[in-house]
Amino acid sequence: MSRVYNFSAGPAVLPEEVLREAAEEMLDYQGTGMSVMEMSHRSKAFENILNEAEQDLRELMRIPENYKVLFMQGGAHLQFAAIPMNLMKNRVADYIITGQWAKKAFKEAQIYGKANAIASSEDETFSYIPDCSDLPVSPDADYVYICENNTIYGTKFHTLPNTKGKILVSDVSSCFLSEPVDVSKYGLLYGGVQKNIGPAGMAIVIIREDLITEDTLPCTPTYMKYKIHADANSLYNTPNCYCIYMCGKVFKWLKKQGGLGVMKGRNEEKAAVLYDFLDGSRLFHGTVRKEDRSLMNVPFVTGDKELDAKFVKEAESAGFVNLKGHRSVGGMRASIYNAMPLEGVKALVEFMKKFEEEN
């Protein structure tokens, strides 16, 4: 069977080259006579995998020296709690609510202190990014939190909020490594890797060193203390070894492509193909305010639920899979991450044109 065009929001498409390499090394990783799945996380071979992965990520993102990179299990949801546990010194934090994941993170933070929703786009089903140039930032807030790219709703912060000197914390799960980023603008940025980098089951946390302290909330479990992971070079316990290995392969692939500037150009080109079609279509239309559109996740609808369902079904038969929108919003969504080739997006648009003519 030939490979389909996979538009899943996560776990998502990975570069075919990376999958083939991993397949070749499955039974014998570089002459060790075993799979990475089988080797000790304390072995020299795995130590090299881990250190190279971190070094490649640092080069790709130009991560400053005074930031630590942590490979942690539990995906983004674990970080919804770990962030307030580690950073809420005054027990106050401000949240900008632009979708389900920011909302969940906000709800989680309320368990540990006073979380304030200082801006929201829920009034229009999260179809835009609110103006964040002059927010009512709390004077005693420990940080301001955003979800930078909203996977479900297809919006993206193209300008970071004015945090009025407060630490910016950002969930970058679905835009991770899709474009260059100035890490120094954040106190902490993190993301689940299963959307744009690797298999599910892990998050990468990039945190400024001065924010890593012993001073966490009394209820913080040992595993959720950033200092524990920073001091142990992400080897406090058995990490998600195979996921780190796969992420490392993707970092090398990205470097080989030319880095994040090249990826941004490609992602803009792919997104333009789809958005241009949607803007001129008589049947389909996008659901996001133009200036806030994501390059990674493109939601669209026909306006008729039955027709949406018909489209998803026929698309799947034609080899375009996982186009059904998130259960909370319906419609369709095409996630066009780094590993989705331009040909895949062009083929989808051709299929959409045909479907429009027939319906």
Side-chain angles (χ1 to χ4, degrees):
M1 181 187 166
S2 63
R3 278 174 64 78
V4 294
Y5 285 121
N6 178 11
F7 293 93
S8 171
V13 62
L14 284 165
E16 200 168 316
E17 193 181 312
V18 166
L19 295 173
R20 289 187 190 285
E21 252 181 52
E24 278 167 27
E25 294 176 344
M26 180 55 81
L27 295 176
D28 176 12
Y29 174 72
Q30 295 190 357
T32 57
M34 61 182 146
S35 171
V36 174
M37 284 190 190
E38 304 169 292
M39 65 177 53
S40 163
H41 63 298
R42 303 286 177 200
S43 67
K44 191 73 192 146
F46 184 72
E47 195 184 322
N48 290 340
I49 289 170
L50 176 66
N51 292 341
E52 258 184 58
E54 179 178 338
Q55 196 46 47
D56 287 338
L57 180 63
R58 283 186 174 277
E59 283 174 29
L60 277 168
M61 293 182 74
R62 298 184 177 158
I63 298 172
E65 290 285 302
N66 63 326
Y67 282 73
K68 290 278 191 197
V69 174
L70 313 176
F71 295 96
M72 292 179 70
Q73 296 181 63
H77 275 76
L78 188 80
Q79 299 306 319
F80 295 168
I83 286 161
M85 284 177 169
N86 284 269
L87 302 186
M88 251 193 191
K89 314 296 185 195
N90 300 326
R91 300 276 180 122
V92 181
D94 289 347
Y95 280 69
I96 298 169
I97 316 292
T98 52
Q100 294 286 69
W101 309 124
K103 204 173 168 181
K104 283 191 174 186
F106 170 63
K107 199 173 171 191
E108 190 73 23
Q110 290 173 317
I111 299 168
Y112 307 105
K114 185 170 185 260
N116 308 301
I118 57 168
S120 171
S121 54
E122 194 164 10
D123 61 335
E124 290 181 32
T125 329
F126 302 121
S127 60
Y128 69 100
I129 297 290
D131 177 4
C132 297
S133 57
D134 186 18
L135 297 165
V137 177
S138 312
D140 52 351
D142 292 299
Y143 58 86
V144 175
Y145 181 103
I146 62 170
C147 179
E148 200 158 321
N149 187 91
N150 296 285
T151 326
I152 295 175
Y153 302 94
T155 57
K156 166 84 162 68
F157 279 84
H158 294 296
T159 305
L160 293 176
N162 173 7
T163 62
K164 300 185 177 171
K166 301 296 180 187
I167 294 158
L168 177 64
V169 172
S170 179
D171 173 356
V172 297
S173 296
S174 53
C175 57
F176 221 157
L177 301 182
S178 63
E179 59 184 16
V181 55
D182 181 354
V183 174
S184 68
K185 288 184 175 170
Y186 306 81
L188 182 155
L189 66 159
Y190 77 95
V193 301
Q194 75 281 4
K195 297 174 185 295
N196 211 19
I197 307 176
M202 197 178 79
I204 295 172
V205 178
I206 300 166
I207 177 172
R208 214 171 61 211
E209 282 177 351
D210 61 298
L211 302 177
I212 303 170
T213 66
E214 301 274 8
D215 178 24
T216 57
L217 297 189
C219 62
T220 310
T222 305
Y223 183 81
M224 288 168 78
K225 293 178 180 176
Y226 292 138
K227 189 161 175 28
I228 288 284
H229 295 279
D231 289 351
N233 188 31
S234 297
L235 288 169
Y236 163 69
N237 67 329
T238 310
N240 192 335
C241 298
Y242 199 78
C243 190
I244 292 169
Y245 158 78
M246 288 298 289
C247 291
K249 287 218 171 293
V250 172
F251 301 155
K252 288 204 183 304
W253 178 79
L254 286 166
K255 283 174 77 176
K256 197 170 146 190
Q257 304 307 303
L260 303 189
V262 170
M263 294 319 294
K264 185 185 186 189
R266 281 191 201 170
N267 290 328
E268 285 173 339
E269 187 184 359
K270 285 187 297 191
V273 169
L274 189 45
Y275 285 126
D276 287 351
F277 168 70
L278 289 170
D279 289 343
S281 172
R282 298 184 315 281
L283 180 64
F284 299 99
H285 61 272
T287 57
V288 173
R289 191 164 75 181
K290 277 189 185 181
E291 57 269 34
D292 299 325
R293 286 170 165 175
S294 163
L295 294 180
M296 297 284 100
N297 312 99
V298 184
F300 56 96
V301 293
T302 63
D304 177 332
K305 282 183 182 170
E306 281 177 20
L307 204 52
D308 286 353
K310 185 184 179 196
F311 173 79
V312 169
K313 193 178 173 195
E314 288 186 13
E316 189 157 337
S317 301
F320 304 99
V321 305
N322 294 313
L323 280 164
K324 191 176 180 190
H326 190 269
R327 61 186 180 277
S328 63
V329 289
M332 284 75 69
R333 169 183 52 181
S335 292
I336 49 176
Y337 298 125
N338 285 340
M340 172 57 66
L342 178 62
E343 306 82 79
V345 182
K346 285 181 172 172
L348 173 64
V349 166
E350 285 311 309
F351 176 79
M352 289 168 79
K353 282 178 185 167
K354 183 169 166 280
F355 185 87
E356 183 174 291
E357 280 161 21
E358 292 167 2
N359 292 276

